[in-house]
Amino acid sequence: EGRFVLVAGPCVLESLPLALEVASEVKGICDELGLRYIFKSSFDKANRTSIYSFRGPGLEVGLRWLGEVKSTVGVPVLTDIHEPAQAAPVAEVADVLQIPAFLCRQTDLLVSAAKTGKPLNIKKAQFVSPYDMRFVLEKAKEAGNDQVILCERGTTFGYKQLIVDFRSIPIMRSFGCPVMFDATHSVQMPGGLGGASGGDRKFVAPLARAAVSIGIDALFMEVHPNPDEAKSDGPNMIALSDLKGLLAQLIALDDLVKSELGYVDIEEVLPR
Amino acid sequence: EGRFVLVAGPCVLESLPLALEVASEVKGICDELGLRYIFKSSFDKANRTSIYSFRGPGLEVGLRWLGEVKSTVGVPVLTDIHEPAQAAPVAEVADVLQIPAFLCRQTDLLVSAAKTGKPLNIKKAQFVSPYDMRFVLEKAKEAGNDQVILCERGTTFGYKQLIVDFRSIPIMRSFGCPVMFDATHSVQMPGGLGGASGGDRKFVAPLARAAVSIGIDALFMEVHPNPDEAKSDGPNMIALSDLKGLLAQLIALDDLVKSELGYVDIEEVLPR
Amino acid sequence: EGRFVLVAGPCVLESLPLALEVASEVKGICDELGLRYIFKSSFDKANRTSIYSFRGPGLEVGLRWLGEVKSTVGVPVLTDIHEPAQAAPVAEVADVLQIPAFLCRQTDLLVSAAKTGKPLNIKKAQFVSPYDMRFVLEKAKEAGNDQVILCERGTTFGYKQLIVDFRSIPIMRSFGCPVMFDATHSVQMPGGLGGASGGDRKFVAPLARAAVSIGIDALFMEVHPNPDEAKSDGPNMIALSDLKGLLAQLIALDDLVKSELGYVDIEEVLPR
Amino acid sequence: EGRFVLVAGPCVLESLPLALEVASEVKGICDELGLRYIFKSSFDKANRTSIYSFRGPGLEVGLRWLGEVKSTVGVPVLTDIHEPAQAAPVAEVADVLQIPAFLCRQTDLLVSAAKTGKPLNIKKAQFVSPYDMRFVLEKAKEAGNDQVILCERGTTFGYKQLIVDFRSIPIMRSFGCPVMFDATHSVQMPGGLGGASGGDRKFVAPLARAAVSIGIDALFMEVHPNPDEAKSDGPNMIALSDLKGLLAQLIALDDLVKSELGYVDIEEVLPR
């Protein structure tokens, strides 16, 4: 209940100072605006288009930095895992474990993450329909974890294009779990730059408005002080300096939805 | 400026009493809620999936009924044309001429409609990108008509599915024209019923909210007193009895957008 | 039965000399290789991306030129119509009437073409599933015409891309009608050039091989002496000088299929 | 050079007797027809739609069974891995390591597989364009392994549907590596059965013909003595009893292609 939670941070842990800067600046904005905030950043980009791309500091260093962000800035942190063996060590630091979209059907990864008892953010794969996320959710529940949020981040649409099917928000909420919208990966253009994924950050605002107006529980956005020089996902991240204005608009919409309109609720969508 | 205009009515002119009933009831709702209203209905469904389907009363009778609606209920009317020769006679009655989505690239149809001098509602074809609607718009302008609204109504997504790419709203607005969202055809499932198009009206509300939150100039919805017995597009039309509640929600969103947030405006998207 | 029929010619009737040159050269090649040949060219490109594009000589002049091709070169001719009123005059000259893909659901156009009694080539729209072409076929049959061939020419796949689903060949043949494959429009990239459709003719050969190996009744290819200077569809047409080599390969495949392998036949696909 | 290699077997190692039965029967057919044969089966289905589905015997038992197949039947074996740590132990038994489609962008998995020095079969993900498989190939090469085959197995097309873009065969071959076509996974319908993937094996034959006619180096087909009772992928596997007839047809096509027509070769497709 209440306003959407913001999950935000730089795509990858480029450095500890960058992580601290983003976390504290976003925390300041959220405190001022009255939003709950979870810091997000990846210790490893395990599936970059090209082998020559920057991958991050790795598990050990990454967790140390995330721990530093938690204690210094005083925010919960979320990060993603790529192999079952990473679940337990990551759960010692992270407050929320994220399952990457490409990996959302990997049973062992889901089960090992679920078994940590930590809340999970599971991204809908670009190749999975929202209807079939029910089975992904069930894998986590069957492993004993009910604290799952499902996240929309776009669907394969031809080559080098994603499209967001906003029907997915009420569909996935009908399974009885909260839903997050990832507004920055949804504007990616996979492989669109030749050897790297492109993106178009000017569509972050309209898509985020659309999601909030339907009713979401959490909003995910990657932010960076200087997206055009970021080491990953630059074309779709938004600039830290644009965050506050965008959030203020989304909060106005969210307040209207949460106080007057309500979530768009549909009957539970059954398997078919 | 101001609130979105509502374009609504039964998909096809099933009978004069039905047209009058819907027009006057919707007009009453719009007057109460403070919306401008344009009655929409087709005199001919020229592209039904099956040859056995009901097509409508035809041009002559249809225009007589539309004239009756105008004078009796006191609302402007919009209807669609399918051949260049229909433009002139239809323009004698209709206040807005609509170009069907499948036909939005037929140059002669566009030009003949444009030359009537009437405002045009051009639907984006399911097979055309929003970027390429610039060229459709140019055809109308080149024929001397600047009063064009472009309408989003979904894009082909695999078989028997449409998907709405909400990026189209700011993209098409960047061409300098108003944009309409067709909330009921956007939830069609083409050919989904075997010999007829299906649809899923429970998604009308979330998609309409999404569009309004981004900022639209007009909203299109087909309504019927009893959609499940309608002669065309039943599965995606909404019931007349549900209209007022839905509109009230959309107006709340629209008022917030128009007074505080503004349209999502992007720089003009150039041909590429 | 027997080898596929070749339907080929320049996309649009640019001039009478060009039409005669292409027709006689292709006829020479087909005579030598042992293929039946039908000349194809359009008198009007009624749905160009841009209003500034060349459209062709129009109905009257176009029919005169087509008549000239028939009598001078001695080949049957095929051309496409865009409005019901064109069916009768075109049928006086053309041996086969073609329904354009975008228009394959326009009932009046189909019925008027069917009523001429001429064989019809109906192109599957980019937005229609092969399953639903059954209803298109039924419209023609219901109007009294059984001489229908259905033509695959690609399906909308994201923006600016078509994709060919080769399952369509056995699916459409299962309705009891012959099937054509349009190898040059299938490699179009709609709107891909900004104001004009692009294409990639290097994929004509692999896609044509695929179709022939499954078993088709007719092959459609637009050819031009100098595609890069053609007035329409240049990027996807093949050069006249490449035609013979390509056809020789396809005939080798076709002979194997027709003599030994047989068409891939599947049970009739029923509506669902 | 020479005929395509057949990679075939039951989707998952249901039991040792089943594996031995399929391997020896397929080997007999291939010996008779003159095809090289590699047995394929998975020790773990790590990404089933539902957590309740059968997954296989696991790494240890699975490798023992694969070793048994190798020594008893005398065929090379291929199997897929899902985590980097599986690469080394699997390489002790398997002659070819396969990277599953969903995982083809996981850098660590690719690199660990590449470092075993074994030939790799990398499946193109349903969400990756054939153009971008160049970067996947580069990851393996950068890790020191040049023995890579890229495999087409369909692309996401709306929900619950795959589509095969046959342009991918010449595109991926233009990178300088051999190409495989997976004819049975290409006819899957992901999630199409509610909690399990469906499929339509009647399209295996036309799609396999299409691929062979364009020119492929290897053909992948899952076979089972009784597909309708198989523990995974039943709807798309073909029956062992249908294999010989289908292969005979494909060999006839392949011989024509390899002796007369040649592969369809295009210029190297560069990143863009």
Side-chain angles (χ1 to χ4, degrees):
Chain A
E1 297 310 315
R3 284 180 179 165
F4 62 80
V5 174
L6 180 70
V7 177
C11 177
V12 60
L13 286 163
E14 298 183 16
S15 71
L16 178 56
L18 178 87
L20 290 169
E21 175 196 349
V22 174
S24 66
E25 195 156 332
V26 178
K27 181 162 195 310
I29 293 169
C30 287
D31 284 349
E32 194 183 330
L33 296 175
L35 279 188
R36 282 168 294 162
Y37 170 48
I38 299 173
F39 176 79
K40 183 270 162 178
S41 202
S42 296
F43 59 81
D44 183 18
K45 304 310 294 177
N47 59 22
R48 299 298 300 262
T49 301
S50 165
I51 197 169
Y52 305 111
S53 303
F54 178 73
R55 287 189 50 171
L59 181 74
E60 203 181 338
V61 173
L63 289 179
R64 200 162 62 232
W65 293 358
L66 288 172
E68 199 79 36
V69 167
K70 279 182 76 159
S71 59
T72 308
V73 186
V75 286
V77 302
L78 170 155
T79 199
D80 48 337
I81 61 171
H82 321 284
E83 295 182 33
Q86 296 174 338
V90 168
E92 283 176 33
V93 175
D95 299 280
V96 183
L97 267 61
Q98 179 169 292
I99 304 296
F102 290 163
L103 303 180
C104 81
R105 292 236 331 225
Q106 304 301 316
T107 306
D108 289 342
L109 186 66
L110 279 166
V111 168
S112 64
K115 287 198 166 151
T116 64
K118 291 282 178 180
L120 305 184
N121 177 29
I122 308 178
K123 296 205 163 180
K124 190 189 83 56
Q126 297 88 332
F127 52 85
V128 166
S129 85
Y131 301 99
D132 289 341
M133 287 303 288
R134 154 189 290 278
F135 305 109
V136 171
L137 179 63
E138 246 170 49
K139 286 182 184 176
K141 284 188 172 168
E142 201 56 29
N145 194 327
D146 272 337
Q147 295 183 282
V148 178
I149 189 162
L150 296 178
C151 179
E152 167 64 46
R153 51 91 73 237
T155 296
T156 295
F157 180 65
Y159 296 140
K160 296 177 188 291
Q161 283 274 339
L162 296 178
I163 199 166
V164 178
D165 182 356
F166 282 99
R167 293 175 298 187
S168 67
I169 293 178
I171 290 170
M172 296 196 300
R173 268 185 59 87
S174 89
F175 306 149
C177 70
V179 167
M180 186 183 303
F181 178 63
D182 176 345
T184 51
H185 288 100
S186 290
V187 303
Q188 267 187 337
M189 298 166 73
L193 294 182
S197 287
D200 204 342
R201 77 174 67 93
K202 71 171 167 287
F203 295 120
V204 169
L207 298 189
R209 280 196 192 184
V212 169
S213 74
I214 293 169
I216 53 172
D217 304 282
L219 179 68
F220 180 111
M221 289 198 295
E222 289 184 345
V223 293
H224 193 280
N226 189 351
D228 292 335
E229 302 201 350
K231 294 190 174 170
S232 178
D233 273 355
N236 51 284
M237 279 198 279
I238 60 168
L240 207 37
S241 56
D242 291 333
L243 183 64
K244 190 173 166 184
L246 177 54
L247 284 177
Q249 295 205 332
L250 298 175
I251 287 172
L253 274 172
D254 194 51
D255 286 350
L256 177 64
V257 169
K258 301 289 169 63
S259 66
E260 284 186 40
L261 279 52
Y263 290 91
V264 175
D265 277 326
I266 63 174
E267 256 186 273
E268 187 180 355
V269 175
L270 296 173
R272 40 171 210 175
Chain B
E1 297 310 315
R3 285 179 178 166
F4 62 81
V5 175
L6 181 70
V7 177
C11 178
V12 59
L13 285 163
E14 299 182 16
S15 71
L16 178 55
L18 177 86
L20 290 168
E21 174 195 350
V22 173
S24 66
E25 194 157 332
V26 178
K27 181 166 194 311
I29 292 169
C30 286
D31 284 349
E32 194 184 330
L33 296 175
L35 280 187
R36 282 169 293 162
Y37 169 50
I38 299 173
F39 176 79
K40 182 269 162 177
S41 201
S42 295
F43 59 81
D44 183 17
K45 304 308 295 176
N47 59 21
R48 298 298 301 260
T49 301
S50 165
I51 197 169
Y52 305 111
S53 303
F54 178 74
R55 286 189 48 173
L59 181 73
E60 204 181 336
V61 173
L63 289 179
R64 201 162 61 233
W65 292 357
L66 287 172
E68 198 79 36
V69 167
K70 278 182 77 158
S71 59
T72 308
V73 186
V75 287
V77 303
L78 170 156
T79 198
D80 48 337
I81 62 171
H82 322 283
E83 294 182 34
Q86 296 174 339
V90 169
E92 283 176 33
V93 175
D95 300 279
V96 184
L97 268 60
Q98 179 169 291
I99 305 295
F102 291 163
L103 302 180
C104 81
R105 293 234 334 224
Q106 304 301 315
T107 306
D108 288 344
L109 185 67
L110 279 166
V111 168
S112 65
K115 287 197 165 151
T116 65
K118 291 281 180 180
L120 305 184
N121 177 31
I122 308 179
K123 296 205 166 182
K124 189 189 83 57
Q126 298 88 332
F127 51 85
V128 166
S129 85
Y131 301 100
D132 288 342
M133 288 303 287
R134 154 188 291 277
F135 304 107
V136 171
L137 180 62
E138 247 169 49
K139 286 182 184 177
K141 284 189 170 168
E142 201 56 28
N145 194 325
D146 273 337
Q147 295 183 282
V148 178
I149 188 163
L150 296 178
C151 179
E152 167 65 46
R153 51 89 76 237
T155 297
T156 294
F157 180 65
Y159 296 139
K160 298 176 186 290
Q161 283 274 338
L162 297 178
I163 199 165
V164 177
D165 183 356
F166 282 99
R167 294 174 297 188
S168 67
I169 293 177
I171 290 170
M172 296 195 301
R173 268 185 58 89
S174 88
F175 305 149
C177 70
V179 168
M180 186 184 303
F181 178 63
D182 176 344
T184 50
H185 288 101
S186 289
V187 303
Q188 267 187 336
M189 298 165 74
L193 294 182
S197 287
D200 202 343
R201 79 174 64 94
K202 72 171 167 285
F203 296 119
V204 169
L207 298 189
R209 281 196 191 183
V212 169
S213 74
I214 294 169
I216 54 172
D217 303 283
L219 178 69
F220 181 110
M221 290 198 294
E222 290 185 345
V223 293
H224 194 279
N226 190 351
D228 292 335
E229 303 201 349
K231 293 189 176 171
S232 177
D233 274 353
N236 51 284
M237 278 197 279
I238 60 168
L240 208 36
S241 57
D242 290 332
L243 183 64
K244 191 173 167 184
L246 177 55
L247 284 177
Q249 294 205 332
L250 298 175
I251 287 171
L253 274 172
D254 195 51
D255 285 350
L256 177 64
V257 168
K258 301 289 170 63
S259 66
E260 285 185 42
L261 278 52
Y263 289 91
V264 175
D265 277 326
I266 63 174
E267 255 186 273
E268 187 179 355
V269 175
L270 296 173
R272 40 170 209 176
Chain C
E1 299 309 316
R3 285 180 179 164
F4 61 80
V5 175
L6 181 70
V7 177
C11 178
V12 60
L13 285 163
E14 298 182 17
S15 71
L16 179 55
L18 178 87
L20 291 168
E21 175 196 348
V22 173
S24 66
E25 195 158 331
V26 178
K27 182 166 193 309
I29 292 169
C30 287
D31 284 350
E32 194 184 329
L33 296 175
L35 280 187
R36 283 169 293 163
Y37 169 50
I38 299 172
F39 177 79
K40 182 270 163 178
S41 202
S42 295
F43 59 81
D44 184 17
K45 304 309 296 177
N47 59 23
R48 297 299 300 261
T49 301
S50 166
I51 197 169
Y52 306 110
S53 303
F54 178 74
R55 285 190 49 172
L59 181 74
E60 203 182 336
V61 173
L63 289 179
R64 200 163 64 234
W65 292 358
L66 287 172
E68 199 79 35
V69 168
K70 279 183 76 158
S71 60
T72 308
V73 186
V75 286
V77 303
L78 171 155
T79 199
D80 48 338
I81 62 171
H82 321 284
E83 294 182 33
Q86 295 174 339
V90 169
E92 283 176 34
V93 175
D95 301 279
V96 183
L97 268 61
Q98 179 169 293
I99 305 295
F102 290 163
L103 303 179
C104 81
R105 294 240 326 231
Q106 303 302 315
T107 306
D108 289 343
L109 185 67
L110 278 167
V111 168
S112 65
K115 286 196 167 151
T116 65
K118 291 283 179 179
L120 305 183
N121 177 32
I122 308 178
K123 295 205 166 181
K124 189 189 84 54
Q126 298 87 332
F127 51 85
V128 167
S129 85
Y131 301 99
D132 288 342
M133 288 303 288
R134 153 189 291 277
F135 305 108
V136 171
L137 180 62
E138 246 170 49
K139 287 182 183 176
K141 284 189 171 166
E142 202 55 28
N145 194 328
D146 274 337
Q147 294 184 282
V148 178
I149 188 162
L150 296 177
C151 179
E152 166 65 45
R153 53 89 75 237
T155 297
T156 294
F157 179 66
Y159 296 140
K160 296 175 187 292
Q161 283 274 337
L162 298 178
I163 199 166
V164 178
D165 183 356
F166 282 99
R167 293 175 297 188
S168 67
I169 294 178
I171 290 169
M172 296 196 300
R173 269 185 58 88
S174 88
F175 305 149
C177 71
V179 168
M180 186 183 305
F181 178 64
D182 176 345
T184 51
H185 288 100
S186 290
V187 302
Q188 267 186 335
M189 297 165 74
L193 294 182
S197 288
D200 203 343
R201 78 174 65 95
K202 71 171 168 285
F203 295 120
V204 170
L207 298 190
R209 281 195 191 184
V212 169
S213 73
I214 293 169
I216 54 173
D217 303 283
L219 179 69
F220 181 110
M221 289 197 296
E222 289 184 345
V223 293
H224 194 279
N226 190 351
D228 292 335
E229 303 201 349
K231 293 188 175 171
S232 176
D233 274 354
N236 50 284
M237 278 198 280
I238 60 169
L240 208 37
S241 56
D242 290 332
L243 183 63
K244 190 173 166 183
L246 176 55
L247 285 177
Q249 294 205 333
L250 298 175
I251 289 172
L253 273 173
D254 195 51
D255 286 350
L256 177 64
V257 168
K258 301 289 169 63
S259 67
E260 285 185 43
L261 279 51
Y263 289 91
V264 174
D265 277 327
I266 63 174
E267 257 186 271
E268 187 180 356
V269 175
L270 297 172
R272 39 169 211 177
Chain D
E1 297 309 315
R3 286 179 178 166
F4 62 80
V5 174
L6 180 70
V7 177
C11 178
V12 59
L13 286 163
E14 299 182 16
S15 71
L16 179 55
L18 178 88
L20 290 169
E21 175 195 349
V22 173
S24 66
E25 195 157 331
V26 178
K27 181 165 195 308
I29 292 169
C30 287
D31 284 349
E32 194 183 330
L33 296 175
L35 280 187
R36 282 169 294 161
Y37 170 49
I38 299 173
F39 176 79
K40 182 270 161 178
S41 201
S42 295
F43 59 81
D44 183 19
K45 304 310 294 177
N47 59 21
R48 299 298 300 263
T49 301
S50 164
I51 197 169
Y52 305 110
S53 302
F54 178 74
R55 286 189 49 172
L59 181 74
E60 202 181 337
V61 172
L63 289 180
R64 201 162 62 233
W65 292 357
L66 288 173
E68 198 78 36
V69 167
K70 278 182 77 158
S71 59
T72 308
V73 186
V75 287
V77 302
L78 170 155
T79 199
D80 49 337
I81 62 171
H82 321 284
E83 296 182 32
Q86 295 173 339
V90 169
E92 283 175 34
V93 175
D95 300 279
V96 183
L97 267 62
Q98 179 169 292
I99 304 295
F102 290 163
L103 303 180
C104 81
R105 293 237 329 229
Q106 303 302 315
T107 306
D108 290 343
L109 186 66
L110 279 166
V111 168
S112 64
K115 287 199 167 150
T116 65
K118 291 282 179 179
L120 305 184
N121 177 31
I122 307 178
K123 295 204 165 182
K124 190 189 83 55
Q126 298 89 331
F127 51 85
V128 167
S129 85
Y131 300 100
D132 289 341
M133 287 304 287
R134 153 190 291 277
F135 304 108
V136 171
L137 179 63
E138 246 170 49
K139 287 183 184 176
K141 283 188 171 166
E142 202 54 29
N145 194 328
D146 274 337
Q147 295 183 281
V148 178
I149 189 162
L150 296 177
C151 180
E152 166 66 45
R153 51 89 76 237
T155 296
T156 294
F157 179 65
Y159 296 140
K160 297 177 187 290
Q161 282 274 338
L162 297 178
I163 198 165
V164 178
D165 183 356
F166 282 100
R167 293 175 297 188
S168 67
I169 293 177
I171 289 170
M172 296 196 299
R173 268 186 58 88
S174 88
F175 305 150
C177 70
V179 168
M180 186 183 304
F181 178 63
D182 176 345
T184 51
H185 288 100
S186 289
V187 302
Q188 267 186 335
M189 299 165 74
L193 294 182
S197 288
D200 204 342
R201 77 173 67 93
K202 71 171 167 286
F203 295 120
V204 170
L207 298 190
R209 280 195 191 185
V212 168
S213 73
I214 293 169
I216 54 172
D217 303 282
L219 179 68
F220 180 110
M221 289 198 295
E222 290 184 345
V223 293
H224 194 279
N226 189 351
D228 292 335
E229 303 201 348
K231 293 187 175 173
S232 177
D233 273 355
N236 51 285
M237 279 198 280
I238 60 168
L240 208 37
S241 56
D242 290 332
L243 182 64
K244 191 173 166 183
L246 176 55
L247 285 177
Q249 294 204 334
L250 298 175
I251 288 172
L253 274 172
D254 194 52
D255 286 350
L256 177 64
V257 169
K258 301 289 169 65
S259 67
E260 285 185 42
L261 279 51
Y263 288 92
V264 174
D265 277 326
I266 63 174
E267 256 186 272
E268 186 179 356
V269 175
L270 295 174
R272 38 171 211 175

